[in-house]
Each structure stands twice: as structure tokens, then as C-alpha cells.
Amino acid sequence: MKITISQINPIIGDLTGNAQKILAAAQIAAVNQVNLLLTPELSLCGYPPRDLLLNPGFVEAMNITLQQLASDLPADLTVLVGTVEKNSTAHINGGKPLYNSVALLQKGKIKQIFHKKLLPTYDVFDEHRYFEPGLQPNYFVLEQVKIGVTICEDLWNDEEFFGKRSYSINPIIELCQLDVNLIVNLSASPYTSGKQHFREAMLKHTAMRFEKPIIYVNQVGGNDDLIFDGRSFAFNKTGELSCRACGFDTDLLQLEFNQEKQDLNINSHFNSIAPNYESEDEEIWHALVLGVRDYVRKCRFSQVILGLSGGIDSSIVAAIATAALGKENVLGVLMPSPYSSDSSIKDADDLAANLGIKTRLLPIGELMKSYDNTFAELFVNTEFGLAEENIQSRIRGNLLMGISNKFGYLLLSTGNKSEMAVGYCTLYGDMNGGLAVIADVPKTRIYSLCHWLNRNQEIIPQNVLTKAPSAELKPGQVDQDSLPAYEILDDILQRLINDYQSAAQIIAAGYDQELVNRVIKMVARAEFKRRQAPPGIKITDRAFGTGWRMPIASNWLAIINANN
């Protein structure tokens, strides 16, 4: 039996466009005499559709599109399509109005519907808001092969692998009790750094534990702050890798199920195994590039703008944008103040030359004087300080937004995760923008990415990598005037934000108590800023985005200190 994985990049809500992508894959599969085509979770509407699901008209349109797709598909091909189905008993028995479902399309009809059993409600997931869990066994028979159907989270509850159960049932055990021959999983699993290794280890364990071949199909593409990396794969029942799709791009992958051996073939001429990335930096780079490309494209922009300071953050964002959109679609704006060093202006110019992007020079010195004159009476007898420094950032933000509005460019903001964590960013200034490209990338990782990018030729100017980071808002200023060294700060933030360590645990790791408490206070006080930030591309398992739900008015320090 021939099976094809269709690793598509859907646009959320584009029912017709997504159906066409599935149909195009089906037509190729039919030419290759494939028996079964697999598509990702909610492939018809894209994942996550969020509150679009609360619109009855959207749900009805999805059903109509599904029926039309069934009639358009090649007659001899069976297709699994991710969709939603109404819960017909919700008004009688209670429960959520919808199921997260997979439709079995065959010979022009919707032959069966399978419902997701395990509904995640953690991090970026909120499926209990919309869906009722399925209760019936999910399987069908094709070419005398009994195929069990699971949907994303249904695979993530193996108590042997995790050492615990997060849900009361394990759908894989249920399918094995029904003696299925093959398990397929339709997923929309968001990317985080290193997650693919975890996925493959988990499914290899499951395949070997239950002696069942497993095919895992993942969505690809950027949807708002989430990146889906694809990298669909399959294991045979002895835990051998049968195939792996490419990362961060669409793919169409064919494999064979040997009915005599009741297993997936290994080393078939059909099988393709895309290599894993050589480094974490390379993987993160591809994620960020895809995130920018899809955000710009799916929001119907074509060109972007950003401020070029000559610093490392704006340099890496410009490089990412250029890789994502092409040099002709990126505009860098240099906005030097009287405090900007000549070397910073040269670094920005050198970067632009290396990337081949257009630049504009808009000095802000005269605008700063205008603000000084306007505030002269009100600020009399006060010292130059944070207010005056931040005005420079807000002037730059206004200029960038003016250009964005005039020409229809999307403004990219350039703040990194370390800055976003401790509030080292200016509201209505350098936080302006439609997408925060590196908001989930710590400062130390920014340096690592730049060194990786320069591995074959200089793209990020060497001086950018060696000079002390500075906002240049006053003479001689450097970031470490008000922040600890980034190696120290990022480790404290990792322990606090990602590892949920208490203040006492962080101090026990060797950090000064006063410093730890100061960092915690900065993180807590910056929550109101983060709430007003543009969406940021998620690359870690704890990002300041959809999955970050912290109160603004709270006493973090007391909470963290209490957790000893």
C-alpha cells in the first residue's frame, strides 16, 4: 500500500485556498498510484483557528468546502483531512460545540469522521475553549489494513516515556487493543528549539513499545507568533526511521506499507530522509526566516522597514528579513543622534552593503532640539535622564511608523528576549512595529546566530560583534551600565522564566541575592510593556506571547521568594 504525506502550509481561514493545496497534493498522489494521502491537523482551516471557530458561518463554510473537496478528489484515492465537526448533542448533554476532527474522504464522499481525544490546555494551546474530546475508537480499514487515527496530542501521553500520565487515557493503548496494523497521527505541532529530537525519541519509543509502525504528519508554516516546522516522519515497528520530510518548507513524501510484513518498508526507493540541522543556530535561523516570510505574506504585506542602529540586534533582524523576503523588499533607516558614534553609522552602512538592501539617512538631532524646547519650561531644574533618553527612541519610532504608513511597509521591531524580559526597551519607540522578530531570542543567542551566519563570509560586520552593546542614548553609554553582563542575565532569566526556579534556587546556583532580586523586579515591572508589544516569533518553550499569561498588577518577588 502506497501512502503519501502532504506537509502543507495552510493559511488560517483560507478554506478554498487550503482545499486547493490538498487537492493539488492528491492529484500528484493519484498519478503515482497512491492509496492513502495524509494531511495535517485542521488542514482545511489551518491551525490554530482560535476564535474563528466561534463563528457559526465559518464552521458551516468549512463543512461545505469539505464536501466539495471530497467530490473533487481523485476517485481511487483515500484522503484524511483535518477539519471540525459540530457536536450534535452539546445542546442536550452540555459540552463544547465542536470536535477537532479528521475526515476520511473516499469516492466523492465523507465516509468517516474521527475526533481528537486529548485536548491540550497549556502553553499556547487552548483547545478546551472550543472542542469536546472524542470518545469512540478511531480507525478504518483500507486495502485490508486496519489503520488507527490519532490527532496531535493523542500521541503525547505515554506514561513509560514521560514517567507520568497527563490524561486519564492513552489513545495508543486503545488502538493497540483493537489490533490496528498501522497508526497515523495528523499534527499541528508548533516549533521550539530542539523539539524535533524529542518528537522522534517519543515516537520511536512508542513504535517499539507497541510494535506498531507510526506515521507522523506535521503542518508547516508561520501563523502569527507560532512556527510549524514540518519535519513529518515515520518509524517502522522496530523503531527504524522510514522517512523524514524537510524542515520549514512544504513537502510531499511517499512511503510504502508492506502488507505481508505488516510494517513500513525501510530503504525503499520511495523513502526520503531529510537530514537534521547541523546546529541549533542553523535550525533557529530557518525558523525565524520562515516566521518573517509567512507573517509578511499572510498579512498581505510585501515590503518591510526597520531602524538600523549599527547594533547587533538590528543587524540580525535585517539579515533575517533579507533572507525571508529578498533584498529588494527591505528598507533600513539610519537615524543617528548627536550621541551616535561614527563607527555605528559605518557599521550600519557596511551591513546594508553586505546584504544589498536600500537605506535612508534621517538624522534626529534637530528633532531632539525641538523636543527640548517644547519641554524646556516643564522640565526646568531637572536633570537629563530617562525621559530625555527615551524621547530619542520615540522620535525614531515615529519616523519609522510614518514611513510605514506612507508606503505600506511592515515595521519590524528589533528588541531581543533579554531586553523584553527586563524592560530594556521603550514603549512607543523601539517597541513600535507589526512583528517582533527576535523577541524570543536571548542576547547571547543573538551573538551565536551572528557568528553562525558569518561562518563562510562576513555578513554581520566584525565590529558589530566585538563592540560593547549600547543604545547610544547618552555619551559613553553601554548596556552594562544598567544591566548585568548578558551571559549572567540570560542564565538568570532562563532559570526564572523557563525553568521556574525560585529566587533561592537561583541564588544557590551562585548568583548574588541582590542581583537576583533586582532582575526579578525588572521582569515583573516590565509586564505592562510586554502586553503592548507586537507579536514575537516563538522559538523557545516559554515565550512572551500566546502562552505567556502573567498578571500585570502582581507581586512577583514575593511569589518567587515564597517558592523556596
Side-chain angles (χ1 to χ4, degrees):
M1 185 170 67
K2 293 181 181 179
I3 303 170
T4 290
I5 293 170
S6 178
Q7 183 174 285
I8 64 171
N9 184 346
I11 296 177
I12 293 174
D14 183 10
L15 302 177
T16 301
N18 297 337
Q20 286 300 310
K21 291 174 182 177
I22 295 168
L23 180 59
Q27 290 168 338
I28 295 172
V31 169
N32 293 323
Q33 299 181 311
V34 167
N35 305 99
L36 176 63
L37 177 71
L38 306 174
T39 70
E41 177 183 15
L42 294 183
S43 51
L44 192 57
C45 64
Y47 188 95
R50 296 194 170 115
D51 279 7
L52 289 177
L53 296 172
L54 302 180
N55 186 329
F58 178 67
V59 174
E60 182 58 31
M62 202 183 317
N63 182 53
I64 293 170
T65 304
L66 182 67
Q67 293 180 39
Q68 182 63 52
L69 176 61
S71 66
D72 291 341
L73 289 168
D76 295 331
L77 179 67
T78 298
V79 183
L80 292 181
V81 174
T83 186
V84 302
E85 187 183 47
K86 293 180 182 178
N87 178 6
S88 59
T89 64
H91 66 290
I92 301 172
N93 302 323
K96 300 301 180 182
L98 301 171
Y99 291 105
N100 182 338
S101 304
V102 168
L104 174 67
L105 308 184
Q106 195 176 59
K107 299 187 184 303
K109 303 292 184 181
I110 303 171
K111 288 296 183 73
Q112 286 180 256
I113 297 284
F114 312 108
H115 302 320
K116 188 173 184 177
K117 291 175 173 288
L118 306 184
L119 302 176
T121 305
Y122 57 85
D123 191 31
V124 301
F125 304 107
D126 199 9
E127 295 201 17
H128 277 290
R129 179 178 174 90
Y130 313 101
F131 300 123
E132 185 73 8
L135 299 175
Q136 300 303 315
N138 291 334
Y139 72 92
F140 66 102
V141 178
L142 179 66
E143 302 288 328
Q144 299 182 320
V145 179
K146 198 172 187 179
I147 302 173
V149 178
T150 59
I151 305 173
C152 204
E153 188 79 358
D154 291 344
L155 274 179
W156 293 70
N157 196 34
D158 188 320
E159 69 281 0
E160 280 194 7
F161 182 80
F162 289 100
K164 65 172 185 174
R165 274 197 181 185
S166 299
Y167 306 87
S168 61
I169 63 168
N170 184 345
I172 304 301
I173 291 178
E174 293 181 347
L175 291 175
C176 291
Q177 290 171 344
L178 293 168
D179 200 27
V180 298
N181 308 116
L182 170 68
I183 296 171
V184 299
N185 181 266
L186 278 58
S187 278
S189 176
Y191 167 78
T192 57
S193 175
K195 190 174 185 179
Q196 180 69 5
H197 295 291
F198 188 87
R199 291 185 192 123
E200 292 190 13
M202 178 183 70
L203 265 69
K204 179 176 182 177
H205 171 90
T206 301
M208 295 175 66
R209 176 187 176 188
F210 297 104
E211 297 183 336
K212 303 290 181 184
I214 299 177
I215 302 174
Y216 171 86
V217 184
N218 195 24
Q219 174 178 284
V220 73
N223 289 330
D224 297 349
D225 56 332
L226 302 182
I227 305 300
F228 298 86
D229 51 322
R231 295 195 276 189
S232 307
F233 58 91
F235 283 105
N236 75 357
K237 61 186 178 183
T238 62
E240 293 178 279
L241 187 66
S242 176
C243 66
R244 183 192 295 125
C246 66
F248 307 102
D249 203 354
T250 56
D251 207 351
L252 202 64
L253 213 59
Q254 187 169 313
L255 58 161
E256 291 180 322
F257 182 83
N258 188 312
Q259 287 157 291
E260 181 179 346
K261 296 180 179 179
Q262 294 291 291
D263 203 359
L264 293 171
N265 283 337
I266 301 295
N267 299 325
S268 164
H269 67 281
F270 291 115
N271 295 61
S272 174
I273 299 180
N276 279 317
Y277 294 100
E278 293 183 359
S279 69
E280 200 169 22
D281 288 321
E282 182 184 14
E283 180 184 279
I284 291 170
W285 169 264
H286 285 287
L288 294 171
V289 169
L290 175 61
V292 171
R293 180 186 297 126
D294 269 12
Y295 190 88
V296 171
R297 177 177 65 90
K298 293 179 181 182
C299 292
R300 294 176 292 281
F301 289 92
S302 59
Q303 295 177 297
V304 297
I305 181 177
L306 74 157
L308 286 185
S309 67
I312 194 167
D313 295 327
S314 63
S315 296
I316 193 68
V317 172
I320 292 165
T322 302
L325 307 169
K327 61 184 180 182
E328 67 279 6
N329 294 314
V330 180
L331 174 64
V333 182
L334 286 68
M335 296 166 287
S337 79
Y339 307 127
S340 300
S341 65
D342 292 340
S343 65
S344 290
I345 298 171
K346 182 179 184 303
D347 290 339
D349 281 331
D350 289 346
L351 172 79
N354 292 346
L355 296 174
I357 62 174
K358 304 180 294 290
T359 62
R360 292 292 183 269
L361 179 66
L362 300 177
I364 67 169
E366 292 303 315
L367 291 171
M368 290 167 61
K369 290 179 182 178
S370 296
Y371 273 84
D372 288 342
N373 292 335
T374 300
F375 282 123
E377 184 177 350
L378 186 61
F379 285 6
V380 68
N381 296 326
T382 64
E383 294 184 1
F384 179 97
L386 188 62
E388 290 83 0
E389 291 178 19
N390 284 347
I391 284 170
Q392 297 172 60
S393 180
R394 294 190 175 109
I395 289 171
R396 292 180 173 121
N398 267 328
L399 293 175
L400 291 169
M401 285 305 302
I403 298 169
S404 171
N405 292 160
K406 176 63 71 174
F407 300 110
Y409 296 168
L410 177 71
L411 174 57
L412 304 179
S413 67
T414 59
N416 61 64
K417 187 172 188 176
S418 309
E419 294 176 348
M420 295 296 293
V422 297
Y424 200 72
C425 45
T426 304
L427 273 178
Y428 325 122
D430 55 347
M431 288 179 67
N432 281 3
L435 179 66
V437 177
I438 55 173
D440 196 32
V441 187
K443 188 77 166 188
T444 48
R445 175 65 70 177
I446 298 292
Y447 279 97
S448 181
L449 281 171
C450 288
H451 285 294
W452 173 83
L453 191 61
N454 280 5
R455 66 199 183 282
N456 296 322
Q457 66 182 92
E458 183 177 281
I459 296 174
I460 309 299
Q462 185 62 29
N463 192 52
V464 172
L465 300 175
T466 56
K467 67 184 178 183
S470 170
E472 294 190 325
L473 298 178
K474 63 182 180 181
Q477 181 190 52
V478 294
D479 292 1
Q480 269 58 65
D481 291 341
S482 51
L483 296 177
Y486 280 114
E487 291 80 4
I488 295 173
L489 176 63
D490 283 354
D491 189 53
I492 293 174
L493 293 174
Q494 171 69 28
R495 293 171 181 275
L496 176 69
I497 294 167
N498 294 70
D499 301 338
Y500 302 96
Q501 289 188 9
S502 67
Q505 289 173 313
I506 300 171
I507 293 164
Y511 292 108
D512 176 73
Q513 180 176 349
E514 183 179 347
L515 173 62
V516 170
N517 287 336
R518 183 163 69 90
V519 170
I520 292 171
K521 286 180 181 178
M522 287 192 288
V523 173
R525 291 183 64 184
E527 188 61 38
F528 79 100
K529 289 187 178 183
R530 290 189 291 271
R531 192 69 65 89
Q532 300 178 69
I537 299 172
K538 175 181 169 69
I539 65 158
T540 73
D541 55 6
R542 191 76 169 131
F544 298 129
T546 306
W548 179 266
R549 305 182 187 186
M550 297 299 294
I552 296 173
S554 67
N555 188 348
W556 265 42
L557 185 58
I559 295 166
I560 299 298
N561 280 326
N563 185 27
N564 290 338

